[in-house]
Amino acid sequence: MKPEKDKPQAGTGKKAYMPTLARDIRKEWDLYLLLIPGILFILLFKYTPMYGIIIAFKDFNIFTGFADSPWVGWKHFEKLFTSPDFSRVFQNTVIISLLKIIILFPLPIVIALMLNEMKNMMFKRSVQTVIYLPHFLSWVIVSGLFIDLLSVNGGLVNKLLNSMGMESVAFFLDNSVFRSVLVTSAGWKETGWSTIVYLAAFSMIDPALYEAAKIDGASKWKQLWHITLPGIAPIIILMFILRLGNILEAGTEQILVMYNPVVYKVSDVIGTYVYRQGLGNQDYSFTTAVGLFEAVISFTLVVVGNSLSKKYLQRGIW
Amino acid sequence: MQLMKQDLDLKKITAGAGGNAIKSSPGEKLFAAFNYAFFILMGMTTMLPFINLLAKSLSSEQAVVSGRVGLFPIGIQFETYYYVLQDSMFLTSLRTSVLLTVIGTALSLFMTTITAYPLSKTRLRGRKWLLLMFVFTMLFSGGLIPTYLLMQNLNLVNTLPVLFLPAMVNVFNMLIIKNYFEGLPESLEESAKLDGAGNIRILIHIILPLSLPVLATIALFFAVAFWNDYFAAMIYITNPELKPLQLYLKELIVSSGGEFLKNNVDAAINMTPQSIQASSILLATIPILLVYPFLQKYFVKGVLVGSVKG
């Protein structure tokens, strides 16, 4: 701890150039001190890998290293845009993401609205406790639960299908239903938890608005339509922007524990492809290019979405 | 008795909610009934997979193999738990996970808090740029491969620290804590300043004791994240001694319990892979089920404060 005490003195050296900055740093030197470990950490673990992206433009080889591997320009990106493998993976990613957005994005909003109408506080709190729980389970566990639930040999769902006179479905091996398994299990895990943001947003709405509406004789529907929904609209839009920014992250951690070679055709997404191709086959440069492609698109989507939101809704993420 | 008390509470609450207690129309009653039914169904759908798994883990081999087990165990036995709990691989990975969760949570909470505090001070010069520097890492990242190569260069592959070091400053959690700090009244700090206390003393003696709800929430988030992480371990860890529980479970599930039964000849005779999986999964869930109810009230409050403003 001692050497850092010299910090304010080091600051005084710059006094001639930036007098106020030096004074401020000296006055609050302990605040800056607290920041140093955090900054070092993100520099090392977040910004250094960003520098590592240069290997997307090189033919990287572990033995020659970062600096000495030859530059190859856009070679890996040309491969990316012509590779049938990648176009399949890209399609899967977008399809699975869109399915998840269309089906799972509105769900927590509806459920939060219903929960908000629940008058029995005890019941409401119990429901919240139960439906938040799956969020805290790992994908490994959730996958284990669903493999069991959907198993052909005595899984509850197939039992139900059989009892209705239908044939068993091999959910995890069937290319036509595997994506719905992904969407359903993601919904089971996250829908309850996702209501929390909207429930918080309700509490920000001025209760006087409802009082006034009641005096004017507005029905529950009218109140919902004219007070509640407009009240939470900014949050909905913000959540949507964030969600859209993640469109190329179709749920890598989920899919990695749930898929298998039989359903690669419909479920191999960018994240799983980078993992298998990059780490499994050590195709470092090409998969870094794939990762960069994903990162740039996501970044652009969030930034554009945010500036649109700021322009039209006077409210953004930052 | 308990029912009556519940009823009374309910009356108090509905009365307290003001206009809501006014006579409701038939339509509203119908909606309320539907609402109850919906949430009971949703609650059941959430719990069902667990009950099913519990039943399987407790049922006899024949019942599980023939696929007869539904929500209730058939031919009760507890041996699967016995076999799992004496398996050395399970115990090793359990130990790794506990160690990782405890160390990781403590360090991350510390690092994230000391980073959040200065950034919560609007008087901090350069605050905007510093914040941007942190937030940018949420929006853009080097990606899997460059990160992996970095860990390799740092010689962190196949060590325990690789599982918690990179995760120590979590920007999302940092922003939640920062927002909470910003919500505390300035006057608290000013009186301490007059007494000559420095920023660090103010943080420790005044700010932190007032921030327990948010700190508990974030501690829970970290603990759950470390306990649940299998991805980092799958990438960086090949040494079986260092595999955390979730990675062990993943391999158990992918091999359909085959690995376990190969190592436990005795179990192979008496157990089905399904029951072994079921009991292992449940055992790994227990710690979360134990901690969760106690912290739930904190995080509902804490997260609400942080997320709406953020």
Side-chain angles (χ1 to χ4, degrees), chain A residues 196-233:
Chain A
I196 215 169
V197 182
Y198 302 110
L199 289 173
F202 295 142
S203 65
M204 310 285 280
I205 299 174
D206 184 1
L209 291 174
Y210 291 103
E211 296 299 330
K214 259 180 239 162
I215 292 167
D216 292 345
S219 69
K220 278 268 169 202
W221 274 114
K222 283 215 164 119
Q223 291 176 32
L224 172 76
W225 199 245
H226 295 289
I227 303 173
T228 313
L229 280 181
I232 62 166

Side-chain angles (χ1 to χ4, degrees), chain B:
Chain B
M1 263 314 263
Q2 249 192 331
L3 259 176
M4 274 179 58
K5 197 176 163 287
Q6 222 170 309
D7 262 344
L8 274 177
D9 282 348
L10 175 65
K11 264 184 208 145
K12 235 185 338 196
I13 290 161
T14 37
N20 288 335
I22 304 175
K23 200 165 50 162
S24 44
S25 71
E28 281 169 28
K29 271 187 194 145
L30 192 70
F31 172 76
F34 171 76
N35 220 356
Y36 275 105
F38 176 83
F39 281 115
I40 288 170
L41 202 70
M42 186 172 173
M44 273 166 48
T45 318
T46 311
M47 298 315 294
L48 213 68
F50 291 102
I51 298 167
N52 178 230
L53 210 65
L54 184 66
K56 276 196 182 155
S57 75
L58 293 174
S59 297
S60 71
E61 190 194 355
Q62 298 95 317
V64 176
V65 170
S66 60
R68 280 186 292 135
V69 183
L71 297 179
F72 303 99
I74 299 173
I76 291 204
Q77 54 77 32
F78 296 94
E79 277 162 42
T80 33
Y81 286 93
Y82 166 78
Y83 282 116
V84 172
L85 283 173
Q86 52 101 57
D87 177 60
S88 66
M89 286 300 293
F90 181 84
L91 293 176
T92 309
S93 60
L94 179 67
R95 208 194 56 209
T96 306
S97 274
V98 170
L99 206 65
L100 170 66
T101 305
V102 172
I103 299 176
T105 307
L107 290 177
S108 311
L109 191 63
F110 173 76
M111 285 287 289
T112 306
T113 309
I114 62 168
T115 310
Y117 187 64
L119 293 174
S120 74
K121 296 293 161 216
T122 39
R123 62 170 191 270
L124 186 84
R125 282 286 292 263
R127 174 176 180 265
K128 214 180 126 188
W129 292 105
L130 290 165
L131 263 175
L132 185 69
M133 186 178 162
F134 280 93
V135 172
F136 184 72
T137 66
M138 278 167 70
L139 304 174
F140 190 81
S141 90
L144 181 70
I145 304 298
T147 311
Y148 175 81
L149 293 172
L150 171 70
M151 299 306 163
Q152 213 172 38
N153 281 331
L154 294 173
N155 280 323
L156 282 171
V157 172
N158 263 323
T159 65
L160 194 62
V162 77
L163 299 180
F164 62 82
L165 279 184
M168 285 219 311
V169 182
N170 179 305
V171 178
F172 185 78
N173 291 345
M174 190 272 283
L175 291 178
I176 294 180
I177 301 183
K178 175 191 87 81
N179 286 344
Y180 189 91
F181 286 157
E182 282 172 2
L184 296 172
E186 290 255 348
S187 52
L188 290 169
E189 194 186 331
E190 275 154 20
S191 56
K193 275 232 156 120
L194 289 178
D195 296 340
N199 285 310
I200 295 178
R201 266 194 54 186
I202 294 176
L203 174 63
I204 296 173
H205 292 288
I206 298 177
I207 305 296
L208 290 187
L210 287 171
S211 309
L212 289 183
V214 76
L215 295 179
T217 308
I218 300 302
L220 174 77
F221 285 175
F222 274 125
V224 170
F226 284 120
W227 182 261
N228 280 343
D229 184 45
Y230 80 92
F231 190 68
M234 187 174 76
I235 294 165
Y236 299 121
I237 305 288
T238 48
N239 177 359
E241 295 283 307
L242 282 176
K243 282 184 184 170
L245 194 54
Q246 301 293 337
L247 185 58
Y248 167 81
L249 279 180
K250 184 198 171 255
E251 288 169 2
L252 184 73
I253 291 170
V254 169
S255 75
S256 310
E259 271 313 292
F260 182 93
L261 296 174
K262 232 185 343 191
N263 300 328
N264 294 266
V265 182
D266 194 23
I269 300 168
N270 300 305
M271 296 295 128
T272 72
Q274 280 190 52
S275 336
I276 295 288
Q277 270 181 38
S279 45
S280 307
I281 289 174
L282 285 171
L283 285 172
T285 316
I286 288 174
I288 293 201
L289 294 180
L290 287 181
V291 188
Y292 172 74
F294 295 103
L295 287 165
Q296 203 239 357
K297 63 172 195 285
Y298 273 133
F299 70 66
V300 172
K301 258 194 271 169
V303 168
L304 297 194
V305 175
S307 64
V308 170
K309 286 181 46 192

